[in-house]
Amino acid sequence: MRARVLVRPKAGILDPQGQAVERALPALGFAGVRNVHVGRLIELDVEDPERLPEMCERLLSNPLIEDYEIVT
Amino acid sequence: MKFGVVRFPGSCDDVDALQAALRVGDAVMLWHAERGLHGVDAVIVPGGFSYGDYLRAGAIARFAPVMEAVSEFAREGGLVLGICNGFQVLCEAGMLPGALLPNPSLRFVFRQVSLEVVHADSPFTRACEPGQRLSIPVKHTAGRFYAPDDQLDALEASGQVLLRYTPGHNPNGSLREIAGVCNEERNVFGLMPHPEHAVDPLGGSVDGLRVFESMRAHADDRVLA
């Protein structure tokens, strides 16, 4: 089964990449953009999708600083 | 006393760490794919870019075969020092609290910083005086020490914050100016600055030697006891 894992910085954790993108967009004339966050997309084929949360918690994300979302 | 320096693919400060350790004792390299520690008395996880820093710095290295042995060595009370990428590896492995986030500048910082020895009652700082200043270089892109507020309070209360950046010297936005922390048992220590690059007058400072001398003194005491 094809799965996607989205990994984001946890709310409240400084996200300098998101801030840099948020500052860059108005410089190109794109006004009205807020709350930009930059994370990671991991795509994988997995035989047993029930094991995905464990994979996310043990390797794909660091639960102390990141949230993950599994999209199957 | 024999130090073991772990070498991962992508380590780059392993030789400097070995040379620094050789100034106070014997030292050997430990290859990442090996499971044995060759009877060393202390382990150094050095700086660099283990496994290319893929995914997150330190995330892959913690699963190296040698890390299983290092983890068991630490559980038995053995001294483990993580420098820079080594600090990141030990945090990812859950052997140290917290995490190292990207520098707010998103840039690689490389500069000499001034550190304050917060506690000198650890195996890694006992050759220092409390409050002593150490001049040691940092060089990293992800060195911003982070832990949730309640965990930071607990770390400070239990005296686990061994080194802080002095005012104006925090190069990476580390919370509460934390440069180095140890575990609760005080036998595992990680820091972002590089003591192994400050061991020869040619490099401008020999303050980094204090860390290796401290570990040596701790090992000598254990032999006598």
Side-chain angles (χ1 to χ4, degrees):
Chain A
M1 170 190 255
R2 190 74 174 154
R4 290 178 159 198
V5 175
L6 308 174
V7 181
R8 303 182 173 87
K10 261 191 198 302
I13 288 202
L14 185 66
D15 174 13
Q17 286 194 85
Q19 290 180 345
V21 173
E22 193 168 319
R23 281 194 304 268
L25 286 169
L28 291 171
F30 297 103
V33 179
R34 284 186 301 166
N35 298 322
V36 179
H37 292 289
V38 175
R40 239 185 346 265
L41 163 66
I42 300 161
E43 291 183 316
L44 59 168
D45 289 326
V46 57
E47 283 175 18
D48 182 0
E50 287 193 3
R51 302 207 68 190
L52 276 168
E54 193 189 341
M55 293 180 205
C56 289
E57 273 162 44
R58 292 191 58 200
L59 177 62
L60 302 182
S61 78
N62 179 341
L64 186 69
I65 51 174
E66 294 167 327
D67 288 325
Y68 65 86
E69 181 185 337
I70 297 166
V71 185
T72 50
Chain B
M1 171 184 193
K2 186 159 81 168
F3 289 84
V5 179
V6 175
R7 173 180 272 170
F8 299 108
S11 293
C12 65
D13 298 320
D14 44 345
V15 174
D16 276 28
L18 190 86
Q19 291 298 328
L22 282 171
R23 287 174 185 251
V24 302
D26 196 6
V28 294
M29 282 293 181
L30 302 171
W31 182 237
H32 72 117
E34 287 184 26
R35 290 177 188 278
L37 297 184
H38 301 278
V40 299
D41 304 295
V43 172
I44 301 175
V45 187
F49 305 86
S50 54
Y51 297 92
D53 274 354
Y54 295 148
L55 196 60
R56 295 177 305 278
I60 310 286
R62 65 174 272 217
F63 295 104
V66 73
M67 285 307 294
E68 227 171 279
V70 171
S71 169
E72 184 168 338
F73 178 73
R75 274 199 300 275
E76 289 167 358
L79 292 191
V80 179
L81 170 67
I83 303 169
C84 194
N85 190 231
F87 186 11
Q88 296 162 338
V89 172
L90 296 178
C91 286
E92 282 281 342
M95 293 169 64
L96 284 174
L100 285 312
L101 296 171
N103 300 342
S105 63
L106 294 175
R107 288 174 189 275
F108 184 82
V109 293
F110 175 30
R111 69 175 80 130
Q112 199 77 10
V113 294
S114 164
L115 305 170
E116 181 199 348
V117 178
V118 184
H119 295 287
D121 61 346
S122 82
F124 304 93
T125 50
R126 55 182 279 174
C128 310
E129 298 293 326
Q132 187 180 342
R133 302 279 171 109
L134 304 177
S135 175
I136 291 180
V138 293
K139 46 167 197 154
H140 57 251
T141 310
R144 180 172 188 257
F145 185 77
Y146 168 86
D149 264 333
D150 52 343
Q151 198 175 3
L152 290 171
D153 291 341
L155 289 177
E156 290 184 324
S158 57
Q160 288 172 250
V161 177
L162 300 185
L163 294 175
R164 278 189 215 278
Y165 301 106
T166 60
H169 280 262
N170 186 340
N172 52 33
S174 285
L175 298 189
R176 304 197 192 179
E177 332 297 332
I178 292 172
V181 293
C182 66
N183 62 346
E184 230 176 300
E185 295 76 20
R186 302 179 95 67
N187 66 310
V188 180
F189 175 52
L191 75 170
M192 285 313 294
H194 287 264
E196 81 282 18
H197 294 332
V199 297
D200 192 288
L202 196 62
S205 166
V206 295
D207 292 351
L209 269 181
R210 300 292 95 79
V211 174
F212 300 96
E213 288 166 352
S214 296
M215 294 171 75
R216 171 72 203 246
H218 179 82
D220 289 348
D221 275 4
R222 281 176 70 132
V223 171
L224 291 174

